[in-house]
Amino acid sequence: MGNLIFSDIDGTLINSKQEVTPKTKMAIRRQIIKGNVFVPVSARMPKAIMSVVGEITKTCPMVAYNGALVLDEMGHTLDSRSMPSAKAAEICNYIEYKNNGVVWNVYSGNNWYYFPGNNDELVKNEEKIVKFKAQPSSIAEINQLENVHKILLMGTPDLLDATQKDLQQLYPEFYIVKSAANLLEVVVKGVSKGQGVKVIAQALGADLKECWAFGDNYNDEKMLQSVGHPVVMGNAPENLKRKFATTLDNNHDGIAAVLDKIN
């Protein structure tokens, strides 16, 4: 068993054109051939992870929804942490009540739901990025779901900062974190990319002190803290770059620059 190489996707593995560059692809493949295991760790849903990672390898373990759903390389669930659908519906209700241009999205297993009619272009843009279609839904339908792995709120950075403050006061039981300036993620407490990578390491019998991780944003911080070799991308916020080793940005093969130096 080789070491594990954990990587965030958006802003890290893919460039700003949403592509994995040939150089980065080859660098990761070389590591896989050496016997190391590549593990995508993302706020995305499983199918939207594979739409990117499928270009590098056909099977791999993964951490989806910021750690709320962890799958082995066969797609079997290693860990699933969901919130009660009634609570998810309540948060969606709050967003609707505020009616300030923030859009809610709800994820359950391999399904993505949104409420049509309010700022739909934000959802359409996300669909383009992750190459997966959202299903129009309603708060009443959300209330009926068996489980909810994640709520994603979309909007302007300022609006989301204010929404984050409000929701943290109203729902202390949730972990609420930005995955991009215009994206705010809501998962249950205890869920994080850090928790997700621990589950994978345990399942594969790997020592996290020997593992690598790449990230570019605040929702990557707990993952970066839990491995022996954390690396942030050149496009990460300044205060993350002060805490961790930094490589080139995601448009200049930052991952390959590091992996090609590992023996």
Side-chain angles (χ1 to χ4, degrees):
M1 159 82 208
N3 292 328
L4 307 181
I5 299 163
F6 297 103
S7 176
D8 168 54
I9 293 180
D10 297 278
T12 302
L13 179 65
I14 56 177
N15 62 16
S16 44
K17 292 183 186 150
Q18 275 86 51
E19 299 160 343
V20 186
T21 61
K23 201 170 171 186
T24 293
K25 225 180 274 189
M26 283 315 297
I28 294 169
R29 282 200 186 131
R30 276 196 288 272
Q31 293 298 328
I32 294 171
I33 290 163
K34 281 183 191 170
N36 295 323
V37 180
F38 179 68
V39 186
V41 182
S42 176
R44 291 178 175 220
M45 60 198 299
K47 282 181 177 164
I49 289 175
M50 281 321 286
S51 71
V52 171
V53 179
E55 295 178 33
I56 302 166
T57 175
K58 287 296 165 239
T59 59
C60 60
M62 68 173 70
V63 177
Y65 297 134
N66 274 334
L69 186 60
V70 184
L71 306 174
D72 70 10
E73 68 278 14
M74 302 310 291
H76 300 140
T77 302
L78 295 173
D79 195 21
S80 174
R81 298 171 180 225
S82 54
M83 63 182 79
S85 55
K87 271 279 190 250
E90 214 176 280
I91 291 178
C92 296
N93 230 342
Y94 173 81
I95 298 297
E96 287 300 307
Y97 165 75
K98 279 288 201 204
N99 191 21
N100 59 6
V102 173
V103 179
W104 61 260
N105 298 259
V106 167
Y107 296 82
S108 172
N110 254 318
N111 296 301
W112 167 15
Y113 305 97
Y114 79 106
F115 185 56
N118 181 3
N119 252 344
D120 282 5
E121 69 279 3
L122 295 179
V123 177
K124 296 279 171 280
N125 187 42
E126 184 72 5
E127 286 180 333
K128 270 202 217 75
I129 292 170
V130 302
K131 302 182 176 65
F132 192 82
K133 279 261 181 269
Q135 305 171 37
S137 187
S138 65
I139 292 173
E141 271 181 45
I142 298 303
N143 211 0
Q144 298 302 312
L145 291 174
E146 203 176 316
N147 56 19
V148 169
H149 285 106
K150 183 182 90 163
I151 297 170
L152 171 64
L153 304 175
M154 301 171 171
T156 61
D158 297 356
L159 268 177
L160 291 186
D161 287 342
T163 305
Q164 184 175 20
K165 277 208 185 79
D166 292 349
L167 289 177
Q168 266 162 349
Q169 282 182 321
L170 291 168
Y171 299 98
E173 70 271 35
F174 292 133
Y175 176 52
I176 303 166
V177 64
K178 280 186 133 180
S179 59
N182 57 339
L183 299 175
L184 184 65
E185 317 266 348
V186 183
V187 288
V188 294
K189 268 268 163 70
V191 160
S192 72
K193 289 184 172 188
Q195 169 57 26
V197 305
K198 283 178 187 137
V199 170
I200 298 255
Q202 211 170 353
L204 297 180
D207 178 359
L208 281 172
K209 287 197 283 294
E210 303 295 323
C211 296
W212 292 77
F214 296 89
D216 77 308
N217 225 309
Y218 296 110
N219 64 330
D220 298 316
E221 198 164 357
K222 288 188 159 92
M223 163 178 79
L224 294 162
Q225 286 162 350
S226 48
V227 300
H229 304 282
V231 182
V232 295
M233 308 301 285
N235 46 294
E238 284 309 314
N239 42 0
L240 274 187
K241 292 202 276 197
R242 281 198 284 273
K243 294 181 189 178
F244 302 101
T246 304
T247 183
L248 301 169
D249 67 32
N250 64 322
N251 286 325
H252 294 89
D253 299 296
I255 291 179
V258 173
L259 292 186
D260 286 344
K261 289 192 193 122
I262 303 176
N263 293 324

